[in-house]
Amino acid sequence: MKRHFFGAAGALMAVLVLASCVEDPTAALRTGTVDRVAISRTYVELDVGDELRLTAQAYDAQGNALPDLPAIATSDAAIVAVAVDDSLSGDPQPQTVFTVTAMAPGSASITATAGGVSSSSTVISFPLVFDGTVAVDQTGPQDIVTVSSSASVTFDTATAVVSIEGVETALISRSGAELQVAVLNESDVTGATVTVSGLIFLGSSPLGTLDAATTPDIRRSPWATSQGSAMDVTGLARPVTMYVRVTSANHDMFVKYESATDLPLTIDVDWDTDADVDIYWVDPAGSIFACGGGCTGAKPEQSVHTVAGGAVEYLNIDLYDGDDSNVTVVIQ
């Protein structure tokens, strides 16, 4: 019996001695040191003005939550602002509770830091309106509207379009940074809504149609369909470029010349569709007395003509045959 007792006691002692010689494999992980910081969302999309509540929490290497409350920072407060809710942070969970608010179009990073360890989330702030610039040049005979891109929104070079109050405009030029159109509306517009489509957000993401924040005043296009309302452009400094819509429904009386002395002019006309657009010179009675380029319909067509001193003559750009078209007229 004694032998049995001592044998059992000896075995127990051996186990205790063996156990004391083996280290706890998780002891090094339970140091209370921050190993990682996690934010509840790593990617967020918001419209400008929207906000979202998020949390950030620190963990040790075993995944245990630590009492260290992460500090929150934004890479660009003008695009995405952050606000920590101190009343909720740390109670009942050891985490920082904060709100992100989309302030302006663009992208910003939100960083959470605790114990020298950081992690970040990306917040994309989408525009509700186009935030580029809209400028109207009224120094010439018709309004020219230039729409410039912003740091966050550019233009699709193949599809971008500008419309003003739903009225057709003639596209002059298009690039990723700028759209330029000539106004072809038939009446004045006060506080016009400028709408842009074919937008690219942050260089890669297509956007739908956005209204610009700027609402400019727009003059009517001066090009008349009758001699009585034709605009006198005798005194315009040349060369001058103008844009007009010609249609198959009517003659497209363009402009009036009334010079005290002989006025030699060269007019070049180009158009954007498969059409036959002609240049005519018309007298006050409405009779055609001269044609440019032999009225052949060549594209572009040119007229070299001298307006007689003391006479009143009208330059008429007319769609002779084919589809309605926007035409570009250069007078020099």
Side-chain angles (χ1 to χ4, degrees):
M1 295 292 296
K2 277 189 173 183
R3 219 172 26 249
H4 178 73
F5 174 78
F6 282 116
L12 177 60
M13 289 298 293
V15 170
L16 293 175
V17 170
L18 181 61
S20 67
C21 294
V22 178
E23 295 183 0
D24 181 356
T26 64
L29 303 179
R30 291 185 284 105
T31 61
T33 301
V34 177
D35 180 73
R36 66 182 180 91
V37 175
I39 302 176
S40 54
R41 295 271 293 273
T42 59
Y43 181 82
V44 175
E45 292 183 354
L46 297 173
D47 286 331
V48 170
D50 288 351
E51 61 182 36
L52 180 68
R53 176 167 289 181
L54 300 174
T55 61
Q57 195 160 3
Y59 297 90
D60 64 15
Q62 280 189 302
N64 299 308
L66 298 175
D68 307 61
L69 295 183
I72 309 299
T74 175
S75 64
D76 192 337
I79 294 177
V80 177
V82 297
V84 174
D85 190 335
D86 292 323
S87 65
L88 296 178
S89 297
D91 184 22
Q93 298 294 325
Q95 61 186 8
T96 301
V97 179
F98 62 100
T99 299
V100 295
T101 303
M103 306 297 292
S107 175
S109 295
I110 305 302
T111 302
T113 303
V117 178
S118 298
S119 65
S120 62
S121 295
T122 299
V123 180
I124 305 296
S125 176
F126 284 100
L128 294 178
V129 297
F130 173 69
D131 64 335
T133 60
V134 177
V136 182
D137 182 357
Q138 297 187 333
T139 59
Q142 70 187 129
D143 286 357
I144 305 297
V145 179
T146 301
V147 182
S148 301
S149 65
S150 67
S152 60
V153 180
T154 55
F155 307 119
D156 187 314
T157 57
T159 65
V161 175
V162 177
S163 62
I164 302 171
E165 293 287 295
V167 176
E168 184 181 8
T169 56
L171 180 66
I172 299 173
S173 64
R174 176 168 53 201
S175 70
E178 182 180 280
L179 298 174
Q180 193 170 67
V181 297
V183 174
L184 301 178
N185 60 314
E186 297 179 356
S187 61
D188 293 340
V189 179
T190 301
T193 299
V194 178
T195 302
V196 188
S197 60
L199 300 171
I200 304 295
F201 184 61
L202 297 180
S204 60
S205 301
L207 285 178
T209 297
L210 294 177
D211 291 338
T214 305
T215 53
D217 294 339
I218 300 294
R219 298 178 302 171
R220 65 176 291 271
S221 177
W223 321 135
T225 56
S226 67
Q227 291 163 273
S229 58
M231 179 183 182
D232 189 342
V233 295
T234 307
L236 284 182
R238 297 186 302 275
V240 61
T241 301
M242 297 178 284
Y243 308 88
V244 66
R245 177 73 170 171
V246 295
T247 70
S248 56
N250 54 264
H251 292 289
D252 305 285
M253 181 56 62
F254 195 37
V255 290
K256 171 185 176 182
Y257 279 94
E258 185 174 6
S259 180
T261 60
D262 287 356
L263 180 62
L265 298 172
T266 299
I267 297 92
D268 291 286
V269 180
D270 201 355
W271 50 95
D272 65 2
T273 65
D274 183 17
D276 180 0
V277 177
D278 287 329
I279 303 170
Y280 297 101
W281 288 93
V282 182
D283 64 21
S287 299
I288 295 173
F289 64 87
C291 294
C295 296
T296 61
K299 183 178 186 294
E301 186 168 328
Q302 184 180 85
S303 172
V304 178
H305 175 74
T306 297
V307 176
V312 176
E313 298 182 10
Y314 298 90
L315 172 65
N316 182 36
I317 309 300
D318 185 43
L319 180 65
Y320 177 75
D321 186 26
D323 301 325
D324 296 353
S325 182
N326 294 323
V327 300
T328 302
V329 182
V330 180
I331 303 175
Q332 54 191 335

